[in-house]
Amino acid sequence: MIPEFEKFKRFKAKNLPKEELLAPGHRACQGCGEVLALRMVMKALGPNVIVCMATGCMEIVTTPYPQTAWKVPWIHIAFENPASVASGIESALKVLRRKGKVPKKHIDILAVGGDGATSDIGLGWISGALERGHDFTYICLDNEAYMNTGVQRSSCTPYGAMTTTSPPGKKSFGQVTWKKNVPGIAVAHNIPYVATASPAYFLDLMNKVKKAALVKGPAYIHIYSPCPTGWGSAPERSIEFAKLVVETRVFPLYEVIEGRYIMSRKITKPKPVQKYLKGQRRFRHLDEEHIAYIQQRVNADYEKLVRLSEIT
Amino acid sequence: MAKRVGIEVSIALAEAVKLANVDVIAAYPITPQTHIVEHLSEVVADGEVDAEYVPVESEHAAMSCCCGSSAAGARTFTSSSSQGLLLMSEILFIPGPMRFPIVMAVVNRALSAPISIWNDHQDIMSQRDIGWIQTFAENGQEAFDLTLHAFRVAEDRRVSLPMMVNIDGFTLSHVVEAVELLSQEEVDQYLPPFKPRYRLDPRKPITMGPVGIPEVYSEAKVAHNEALKASRKVILRGWKEFADLFGRQYNPIETYRSEDAEVLLVTMGSISETAMTAIDTMRDKGQKAGLVKIRLWRPFPGPEFRKAAGKAKMLAVVDRCLPPGAICGPVGAELRSLFYKVPGGPKIFNFIAGLGGRDVTVERFEEMVDKSMVFAKKRPKELYEVIGVREK
Amino acid sequence: MANTDAIVGWKTITFGCHVMEPGSSTKFRTGDWRSQRPVIDNEKCIKCGICWIYCPDMAIIQNKDGFFEVNMEYCKGCGICAHECPKDAITIVPEEG
């Protein structure tokens, strides 16, 4: 077991930190589930952190010069590389501490990227940083397409979803591939902590972020992040979808602690995936056959996950 | 006390990095840069320097990691070459405007295709406009000295810009030369500890790398350009103090037997040594030939170059790079711009030489000078000629 | 959305183009974007804070009495608070004018 978790005090509904480390005035769309997830992440981490961010919606909406929504040190270099930037910061602080040039106090290092930055363009960079064992947390805010550039498909776009580069047409039904299992890739690096989270389950999300920060070495958290603009969903329903995605087993919540899978929330009576798909324009064109296929694969993936939690 | 040793130039350069008491090295191996990073790994492993060596998974990650390290306030070094430098390219443009004083040794090598591990300047010339201070070393002593100079200048709070030292792959990087290595005390005397103007620090949170909206993008770019131009004062001061302390004086532009020369060869990097031999040979034959060597490439030292060119009638400018479809090579183009419509300015001929490890011999330099004499009378069709290339 | 704060010269722009003032986005009032607004009925409110924790715009603030208020300077009118309120204490009404 991880020793840092023993002294860990869980967040409860009554003791949520009041402090906002992300200021209002950011330019995220109405009902943005991604900025909301980010807000929760920052609440969990507190002010003693350095944030490295990939190019993407969150970077754009929080830092149009000369303003910033950030109340913690923050850096953006490029799209694919926040994990490498975090590697550099972590290495720098390590040696500067040894040389007595910065205070001894530990500082959390957070790298954040969207699903495109994480599952596509930056995957190698993340792999490198995880493999090298830097003490940092990587968070993927997954809104399931390249939203910042106008809703193009990524390898995290779900099967069947309509994006501007996976359009349904006479010969296609939208995204033809199944969502890439990025948490699984993170697990394959034998890092101490991997988790999935959804902003609907904010205590679960915040506790996972805190654990990720506490653990020594790399941690990876994959956070489902509703995007009303990209999904064609009503802004007020972002949290509803963030719940439904879990209740339908489409996006199961789990932790992998030192290789051991732990289901955060067992969904014993799942709602049909149809309930989740409905109300999102990106899935509107799907016929019964596609939905049946999605249902079958969702079931299979979930069962596989449960088995993993039983055998590890 | 400094000591003179026979040492491979790559190792001498790495020793300079060690003596600079570097904090973070993030590098990815590529021929012919490997001996630099191998030696640095060793000195870190042996505790000869208290630093973090980050064995990154690519050059792009190397430069990204360096940006993070420098932003956190660490003295930061990397080294690359050729394809690796190009893989870094996206990130190379970033530390300049963000004012991160990263120091890099570029071991110059040709670009694919066809793949070649041998020396020319196509790698750095393709990255000419990244907004770094760029110097070129001619020999092992310069590689060592210029590396220390690079830390000193880059980290100067008036400058705070990334800086690179170029050394020719193999022909310089892998040769063993006599180099005077400075002692730790001497280096400490020359190079103060790095004190960044700003760093990522939760006690004083700032946002680095915000979005440059159209209202401010031009100003940000000009601010960087002006900082780069203004760095020349600190560059010169850094060389002067180096000379005061250790007796070796460097200048942005240097000349060899140029005083009364009619034709001046213009070179960069290690071929300058062969060029000097060529000048001696030509002088012995009574030809009025001289040499101008460019040590500081960016910011380009225009006034110094004009002064160095003196009253020469012709410049035979050697480029180690063939930019396809261009009017001439990059150094040639730079000097054409410098002398455009300058009354009494020299005629400029551009020779592309030494691509992908092709030797540039004394005879080749003589050929360039001879051709310049001919071209002065009869203007050639093209503004450049690729020297020594076979047609059939 | 012209940003008059950004009108600086190259000599006066911040070093490295860094933003030195943390949280300065508060100068930008996103309340202008709103076409509808939440109205909280304190009679029904149980002070659970669900509206607060689910607000993507940090526009809901708890007052001294423990009730929640909407900061109209920043509220974009997304409606999550009303949709998620377990007591239906929040209604969304159109902005007038």
Side-chain angles (χ1 to χ4, degrees):
Chain A
M1 222 19 218
I2 293 181
E4 291 82 16
F5 289 178
E6 281 165 26
K7 53 192 174 195
F8 165 58
K9 270 178 79 180
R10 287 177 164 276
F11 290 109
K12 297 200 178 82
K14 292 286 170 203
N15 72 353
L16 290 176
K18 294 275 176 264
E19 192 181 4
E20 301 291 353
L21 295 161
L22 205 55
H26 65 71
R27 276 75 154 170
C29 303
Q30 286 145 324
C32 174
E34 188 177 13
V35 83
L36 176 55
L38 188 58
R39 174 187 169 220
M40 292 171 181
V41 168
M42 295 314 299
K43 268 195 184 298
L45 288 172
N48 193 36
V49 63
I50 295 172
V51 179
C52 316
M53 187 166 273
T55 311
C57 287
M58 292 303 98
E59 170 256 336
I60 297 285
V61 302
T62 57
T63 67
Y65 191 89
Q67 293 168 359
T68 181
W70 292 91
K71 296 185 189 172
V72 297
W74 180 96
I75 183 168
H76 164 255
I77 298 291
F79 193 5
E80 61 287 78
N81 63 358
S84 314
V85 177
S87 305
I89 294 169
E90 189 252 10
S91 305
L93 292 182
K94 217 151 101 182
V95 62
L96 294 177
R97 257 186 228 118
R98 275 204 308 267
K99 290 179 174 177
K101 290 179 181 173
V102 295
K104 288 269 179 244
K105 194 180 171 191
H106 174 82
I107 296 168
D108 291 325
I109 297 162
L110 175 70
V112 185
D115 52 291
T118 305
S119 70
D120 290 340
I121 198 168
L123 192 60
W125 286 250
I126 295 162
S127 175
L130 297 183
E131 179 270 329
R132 288 189 299 272
H134 297 283
D135 188 9
F136 81 117
T137 300
Y138 188 94
I139 286 183
C140 171
L141 297 174
D142 180 6
N143 56 19
E144 307 196 313
Y146 292 89
M147 299 313 183
N148 191 40
T149 44
V151 203
Q152 293 84 18
R153 65 84 77 183
S154 79
S155 53
C156 273
T157 299
Y159 179 87
M162 171 184 71
T163 71
T164 52
T165 53
S166 63
K170 280 180 192 156
K171 294 184 177 178
S172 178
F173 54 89
Q175 175 89 340
V176 296
T177 51
W178 197 254
K179 187 182 181 76
K180 191 186 273 184
N181 178 5
V182 188
I185 295 170
V187 170
H189 289 77
N190 295 316
I191 59 173
Y193 190 77
V194 175
T196 63
S198 161
Y201 304 89
F202 55 90
L203 287 174
D204 179 71
L205 183 151
M206 289 172 66
N207 283 319
K208 283 169 173 169
V209 171
K210 193 70 198 168
K211 280 180 175 174
L214 279 172
V215 76
K216 281 205 175 69
Y220 176 89
I221 305 183
H222 199 97
I223 305 183
Y224 173 87
S225 307
C227 174
T229 309
W231 297 358
S233 57
E236 72 272 17
R237 294 185 68 189
S238 288
I239 293 298
E240 186 190 343
F241 286 119
K243 266 187 207 133
L244 276 172
V245 79
V246 175
E247 291 168 346
T248 54
R249 297 177 168 177
V250 170
F251 188 87
L253 300 183
Y254 59 93
E255 288 176 297
V256 189
I257 302 175
E258 291 181 319
R260 290 181 53 236
Y261 280 73
I262 300 154
M263 301 302 289
S264 311
R265 189 168 284 268
K266 279 198 184 128
I267 308 297
T268 43
K269 287 182 191 154
K271 292 181 176 165
V273 294
Q274 171 82 36
K275 272 204 90 113
Y276 167 67
L277 303 175
K278 230 179 116 183
Q280 300 184 48
R281 194 169 60 231
R282 60 178 176 155
F283 296 122
R284 197 171 52 183
H285 59 282
L286 294 179
D287 59 24
E288 278 177 22
E289 208 177 312
H290 287 126
I291 293 169
Y293 176 74
I294 292 171
Q295 183 68 65
Q296 174 225 320
R297 267 199 84 159
V298 162
N299 291 347
D301 278 5
Y302 188 84
E303 279 157 26
K304 204 163 103 187
L305 204 58
V306 170
R307 276 203 303 280
L308 275 171
S309 75
E310 286 162 0
I311 61 169
T312 56
Chain B
M1 270 298 286
K3 76 179 171 207
R4 202 170 160 77
V5 295
I7 190 169
E8 186 187 315
V9 172
S10 289
I11 310 298
L13 192 149
E15 279 290 309
V17 178
K18 182 190 94 180
L19 289 163
N21 192 15
V22 67
D23 295 316
V24 175
I25 303 141
Y28 185 83
I30 182 170
T31 303
Q33 152 266 38
T34 41
H35 291 183
I36 294 175
V37 296
E38 285 168 5
H39 189 70
L40 284 169
S41 304
E42 273 171 34
V43 294
V44 172
D46 288 340
E48 285 182 45
V49 60
D50 184 6
E52 286 291 311
Y53 185 95
V54 191
V56 284
E57 77 285 357
S58 77
E59 287 89 353
H60 191 290
M63 190 43 59
S64 306
C65 188
C66 286
C67 286
S69 160
S70 192
R75 178 168 285 168
T76 304
F77 177 82
T78 189
S79 178
S80 194
S81 179
S82 181
Q83 308 300 120
L85 190 73
L86 266 64
L87 185 58
M88 268 185 194
S89 180
E90 184 203 12
I91 309 305
L92 286 174
F93 285 79
I94 295 172
M98 290 182 77
R99 312 296 293 272
F100 299 147
I102 300 160
V103 171
M104 169 158 63
V106 179
V107 187
N108 302 117
R109 166 185 148 181
L111 296 180
S112 286
I115 189 166
S116 161
I117 58 166
W118 308 104
N119 167 240
D120 66 29
H121 290 172
Q122 293 186 84
D123 55 1
I124 184 54
M125 286 306 164
S126 79
Q127 303 301 303
R128 186 190 59 178
D129 296 334
I130 54 177
W132 291 46
I133 302 168
Q134 301 172 24
T135 58
F136 280 76
E138 186 180 318
N139 54 44
Q141 189 65 57
E142 290 194 19
F144 179 84
D145 294 349
L146 292 184
T147 300
L148 291 169
H149 175 253
F151 282 109
R152 161 80 189 247
V153 172
E155 293 172 0
D156 187 296
R157 299 183 106 187
R158 290 163 293 182
V159 177
S160 201
L161 287 170
M163 184 157 173
M164 65 168 61
V165 178
N166 288 271
I167 66 169
D168 285 314
F170 292 115
T171 54
L172 183 53
S173 66
H174 283 51
V175 297
V176 174
E177 291 187 3
V179 177
E180 190 181 296
L181 300 181
L182 299 176
S183 69
Q184 189 64 63
E185 292 70 35
E186 286 168 320
V187 170
D188 292 345
Q189 218 181 333
Y190 178 64
L191 181 62
F194 175 35
K195 290 200 176 113
R197 279 177 68 165
Y198 296 94
R199 65 163 70 177
L200 293 168
D201 183 350
R203 292 171 301 174
K204 196 182 178 305
I206 63 169
T207 288
M208 290 183 173
V211 180
I213 57 171
E215 289 89 331
V216 81
Y217 184 85
S218 304
E219 284 69 22
K221 297 314 274 185
V222 171
H224 168 218
N225 186 39
E226 292 296 328
L228 185 62
K229 288 195 297 189
S231 70
R232 57 174 275 126
K233 268 190 194 162
V234 181
I235 295 168
L236 298 182
R237 176 109 202 126
W239 277 332
K240 183 169 183 304
E241 282 184 29
F242 194 92
D244 292 346
L245 284 169
F246 313 120
R248 288 186 292 276
Q249 172 69 53
Y250 294 109
N251 296 298
I253 301 291
E254 296 200 353
T255 54
Y256 181 73
R257 302 184 78 170
S258 66
E259 306 78 37
D260 60 338
E262 286 180 3
V263 187
L264 286 175
L265 277 167
V266 180
T267 56
M268 281 163 87
S270 63
I271 60 163
S272 303
E273 298 215 321
T274 319
M276 285 193 279
T277 313
I279 296 296
D280 289 341
T281 314
M282 287 183 274
R283 284 279 178 176
D284 290 347
K285 291 180 195 164
Q287 276 177 291
K288 283 189 172 178
L291 175 66
V292 180
K293 302 183 281 187
I294 300 172
R295 176 168 293 116
L296 177 65
W297 172 233
R298 285 291 182 269
F300 191 79
E304 284 89 347
F305 194 96
R306 270 198 288 267
K307 196 169 160 228
K311 293 195 174 83
K313 292 187 183 116
M314 287 164 272
L315 299 184
V317 182
V318 186
D319 258 297
R320 310 280 319 275
C321 166
L322 173 61
I327 301 174
C328 61
V331 185
E334 193 82 15
L335 296 177
R336 284 184 175 281
S337 299
L338 184 68
F339 287 106
Y340 183 69
K341 292 215 167 156
V342 172
K347 288 184 174 173
I348 297 173
F349 306 108
N350 194 195
F351 298 98
I352 313 279
L355 296 183
R358 181 72 55 89
D359 272 347
V360 190
T361 59
V362 168
E363 292 72 31
R364 289 291 179 215
F365 283 117
E366 287 184 81
E367 185 186 342
M368 293 180 219
V369 168
D370 292 342
K371 281 192 165 154
S372 296
M373 300 286 213
V374 177
F375 292 159
K377 286 173 197 133
K378 189 172 177 288
R379 199 185 146 94
K381 250 197 231 161
E382 298 239 39
L383 292 185
Y384 67 91
E385 182 177 323
V386 183
I387 281 287
V389 72
R390 293 180 301 275
E391 204 171 296
K392 281 176 186 163
Chain C
M1 284 205 299
N3 197 334
T4 48
D5 281 357
I7 299 171
V8 288
W10 69 262
K11 285 185 177 172
T12 52
I13 194 170
T14 47
F15 180 85
C17 208
H18 306 332
V19 182
M20 308 299 183
E21 190 190 338
S24 51
S25 63
T26 47
K27 290 174 190 163
F28 189 78
R29 316 290 189 199
T30 53
D32 296 357
W33 300 10
R34 198 173 55 240
S35 62
Q36 52 179 22
R37 65 162 69 202
V39 177
I40 304 178
D41 180 355
N42 284 353
E43 300 280 305
K44 292 185 186 170
C45 175
I46 55 163
K47 303 178 182 175
C48 68
I50 283 290
C51 56
W52 167 75
I53 194 67
Y54 282 146
C55 176
D57 297 306
M58 296 65 113
I60 292 183
I61 311 145
Q62 194 167 23
N63 67 21
K64 273 185 255 158
D65 306 324
F67 288 112
F68 291 89
E69 290 170 7
V70 182
N71 183 344
M72 292 299 168
E73 305 251 284
Y74 304 111
C75 172
K76 295 170 188 164
C78 70
I80 289 180
C81 53
H83 197 69
E84 295 305 325
C85 176
K87 293 291 165 190
D88 291 329
I90 307 176
T91 41
I92 296 290
V93 299
E95 286 288 348
E96 281 160 29

